[in-house]
Every structure is written in C-alpha cells, then in structure tokens.
Amino acid sequence: MTPAPIENKTILSIEKLNFFYGHQQTLYDITMNVPAYKVTGLIGPSGCGKSTLLRTLNRMYDLYPEQRAEGTVLFEDYDILSSKIDLDLLRTKIGMVFQRPTAFSMSIFDNIAFGIRLHEKLNLTELEERITNVLQQVTLWNEVKDRLHHSALSLSGGQQQRLCIARALATKPEILLMDEPTSALDPISTAHIEELLDEICQNHSIIIVTHNLQQAARCTDQVGFLFQGKLVELNASEKLFTAPENPRTQDYITGRFG
Ligand SMILES: Nc1ncnc2c1ncn2[C@@H]1O[C@H](COP(=O)(O)OP(=O)(O)OP(=O)(O)O)[C@@H](O)[C@H]1O
C-alpha cells in the first residue's frame, strides 16, 4: 500500500550541485529541497540549465563520459550522485517523461509491460491489473482498452504522451521528472495532462520543466527560477508569480527578458 502523504516531507534534497559539460560549467551551486507529493516547477530562459538539472536527478548524464556532476542529491538517505548507486533501480524510483512522446514501436500493452518485466516478476493477471490501473490513472483506459495489442504508434501525440506517463508510473516511481511534457501537444491534450498532475501527486512527487508560465502558475506548488545556471529564487508558486522576492524573477515573469 502506498503510504499516506506526509505534509512538508522532503523527498529530494539538492545541495551545492554543480554540473559540467566537459570544461563548460552549466549549473552553479544549486541548493533546493523538493517536497513529497507536490509539484515542483523549474522555469527560466532558454539555456539556463532547467533540463540539465532535471536530467542530473536520474543520472541521465552517465551515458556521456565527458559530463559530470558535483555536490549532493539526497534521496531516501542515499546520494544519487554516488558512484555506488544502482542506476537501473534509481531510474525505476525516479522516472522521466520527455518533451516529445517516446512510445516504443510495440503494442500499447508491451510499452507499459516493458519496464515492469525488467524489474519485477508478475504473473499475467498481476501484469494486466497493473497495466489497467496505470492506463486508468492517466485516463487513457477507455480510449485503448479494445486495442491494447495494437501498435502504440497508432495513437495520437497526446495519447502517446499519456501512454509514456503510464509507462513511467508502471514501475511505481517515487518521483516523476517531466521535461516540458506538453510542449509538443495541442491545447486540449495539454489540458488533459495538466489535469493528471494533481492525480499523480496523490502517490508521487513531480518535478516539471516548463516554458509556459501560465502552466507553471496553474499546476505547481513551488517553483524554482533559474538564470544562467543559478537558482535565483525558489518559492511557493503563488508567491513567486504574484510577489517575487528577486528583481530578476520579477523581470522574467513580467516578460522583460527570456
Ligand atoms: N550535451 C551538451 N553538451 C554541451 N553543452 C550542452 C549540452 N546540453 C546542453 N548544453 C548547454 O548547457 C546549457 C543549459 O542547457 P539546458 O538544455 O539544460 O537548458 P534549458 O534551460 O533546459 O534550455 P531550453 O529551455 O532551451 O530547453 C546551455 O548553454 C546548453 O547549450
């Protein structure tokens, strides 16, 4: 059973995080806490390091030898940046959804079963139950229940993105990282995914990168504003969008730059 949400519990504690692409430093001394069962947004102008920060949190950069992170990211008493971390396990606990839907060229059912089969030995009934549950959670079940064994590529872009969210949720992650998950979608599909965030937060914590300030204001509980690789302000969303503490945040949200 999923534990009941605890108010103000910190799920992720980022301390003095620096990130380098080769010799080029991209993140500078980022320190912030991510609360459990809430939506944390990351905003800032293009190139400020939002995606880099997100990708650091599930060690995506490990695929590229010239990229490295320094500092500490505490998750369940472990430092995510430690060389001793089991990366496969980490990525089941901290799932990711990308900007463009990344449905695999296989059936809708197998798209979701894929990650589950890698980490768990469920019998067919349990597997079907898990898949039904996550498809219901992302409100895709009614649209696909009669074609679960058809190719996922036959779905619309918005449906594929909900499938990708279902796939990420199927391994029961603690945290879901979302990198501009609606930027390739039409307004109706976007609204659909925004509505899901509240529902997902019942059992998971979310960190979402978005360029859309209205979306950040509508959907997040706290927001971090990044500028040139530094965290300029981290605040409750309502406060950041109505009475920001830093003048650069004010300039950005009022459209003076970015
Ligand atoms: N693979 C890479 N190699 C070298 N530099 C990179 C790489 N990826 C990103 N960068 C650089 O790191 C900086 C931060 O990029 P990042 O993608 O994290 O910014 P962002 O805020 O997410 O931007 P956007 O909003 O445009 O997606 C930029 O200067 C970018 O050019």
Side-chain angles (χ1 to χ4, degrees):
M1 209 174 93
T2 311
I6 302 166
E7 275 304 307
N8 298 327
K9 184 188 159 205
T10 293
I11 187 103
L12 209 60
S13 190
I14 304 171
E15 288 165 35
K16 291 192 171 293
L17 174 66
N18 291 288
F19 189 89
F20 303 83
Y21 289 105
H23 294 298
Q24 184 202 328
Q25 185 164 2
T26 295
L27 296 178
Y28 297 84
D29 279 338
I30 305 283
T31 295
M32 64 185 276
N33 282 345
V34 174
Y37 307 111
K38 303 274 183 207
V39 183
T40 294
L42 296 174
I43 60 168
S46 188
C48 69
K50 305 179 293 296
S51 297
T52 302
L53 175 54
L54 204 68
R55 287 197 300 258
T56 306
L57 303 180
N58 76 348
R59 295 272 298 270
M60 288 284 285
Y61 64 87
D62 255 65
L63 300 167
Y64 309 95
E66 74 286 2
Q67 301 182 13
R68 76 192 157 87
E70 291 175 355
T72 315
V73 181
L74 287 179
F75 169 60
E76 294 181 339
D77 298 328
Y78 293 97
D79 181 4
I80 285 175
L81 304 186
S82 158
S83 56
K84 297 189 184 101
I85 286 282
D86 176 339
L87 291 182
D88 282 339
L89 188 61
L90 176 71
R91 289 173 191 148
T92 63
K93 293 185 169 226
I94 304 185
M96 185 138 186
V97 175
F98 298 90
Q99 191 169 359
R100 296 198 169 271
T102 52
F104 304 143
S105 174
M106 52 178 75
S107 71
I108 294 165
F109 186 95
D110 284 338
N111 258 273
I112 302 177
F114 186 82
I116 303 171
R117 286 184 180 128
L118 281 181
H119 299 282
E120 293 177 71
K121 297 225 175 317
L122 301 187
N123 64 37
L124 186 59
T125 311
E126 291 166 330
L127 187 62
E128 284 173 344
E129 197 182 332
R130 177 84 61 87
I131 289 173
T132 305
N133 282 344
V134 288
L135 284 172
Q136 284 170 340
Q137 204 181 346
V138 301
T139 67
L140 195 55
W141 176 247
N142 286 338
E143 291 154 73
V144 302
K145 63 176 191 275
D146 299 322
R147 49 174 173 148
L148 288 178
H149 297 286
H150 292 199
S151 169
L153 303 182
S154 66
L155 299 173
S156 73
Q159 287 173 325
Q160 285 191 31
Q161 194 62 313
R162 277 183 282 148
L163 178 68
C164 292
I165 296 172
R167 191 174 64 198
L169 294 177
T171 56
K172 302 191 167 185
E174 297 289 325
I175 302 174
L176 191 59
L177 308 174
M178 305 180 99
D179 196 353
E180 297 189 58
T182 60
S183 66
L185 304 182
D186 63 73
I188 291 171
S189 302
T190 296
H192 219 132
I193 287 186
E194 286 185 7
E195 282 163 21
L196 288 181
L197 299 184
D198 254 358
E199 153 73 21
I200 293 171
C201 266
Q202 305 292 312
N203 296 309
H204 311 268
S205 311
I206 295 177
I207 308 176
I208 182 169
V209 165
T210 179
H211 269 291
N212 181 333
L213 298 186
Q214 282 82 15
Q215 180 173 70
R218 274 194 303 269
C219 304
T220 65
D221 298 290
Q222 73 164 5
V223 182
F225 168 58
L226 281 99
F227 182 62
Q228 296 180 344
K230 295 182 181 145
L231 182 64
V232 171
E233 180 164 349
L234 177 71
N235 227 325
S237 307
E238 209 183 323
K239 167 105 175 98
L240 188 136
F241 285 109
T242 55
E245 282 164 12
N246 192 294
R248 272 180 300 179
T249 315
Q250 171 84 22
D251 287 348
Y252 182 67
I253 63 171
T254 53
R256 268 179 228 146
F257 73 92

